[in-house]
Amino acid sequence: MKGLRIYILVMLSIVFLDASSSFAQSGSIIFGPKQYDKPKGSPITYTDTFQAYTDSNYTVWVQSGQDGLNEVKNVSVSINGTEVLDSSDLRKGNPSAKAISLQPNNTIKVVLK
């Protein structure tokens, strides 16, 4: 089964990614790790909610598959109705990390096609 892992981090400094797809940070995780799986067949949409602090910087960290296996080829990650990451981001680098803005109450939507 293909899968996607997502973390959202409060960033106090920087996220470090290594070749083994693990990560370390000096901040704290406010959402995740969350595994979203794509069974064979029709596209699937997942929706989750989470809370955040309004005065912090955030990073969304997404990994498709593991060690180059079971990667989701067509994905969209939106937060509060704004797409923050898509398949082209993961083709550039897997895992992928992006700075994001959050509200006190947030909705993340993950579409796996």
Side-chain angles (χ1 to χ4, degrees), residues 10 84 102 113:
V10 177
V84 296
L102 294 176
K113 300 177 185 173

Side-chain angles (χ1 to χ4, degrees), residues 39-97:
K40 291 186 179 198
S42 301
I44 189 164
T45 300
Y46 295 95
T47 304
D48 285 295
T49 59
F50 63 96
Q51 295 182 332
Y53 312 103
T54 57
D55 59 347
S56 296
N57 298 316
Y58 295 92
T59 298
V60 60
W61 185 90
V62 178
Q63 176 187 1
S64 180
Q66 187 171 347
D67 299 327
L69 301 173
N70 300 316
E71 292 181 2
V72 177
K73 300 297 182 191
N74 195 345
V75 62
S76 172
V77 177
S78 299
I79 298 177
N80 300 324
T82 302
E83 186 174 74
V84 296
L85 189 131
D86 64 15
S87 301
S88 66
D89 295 309
L90 288 169
R91 281 192 292 275
K92 294 174 191 170
N94 185 17
S96 183

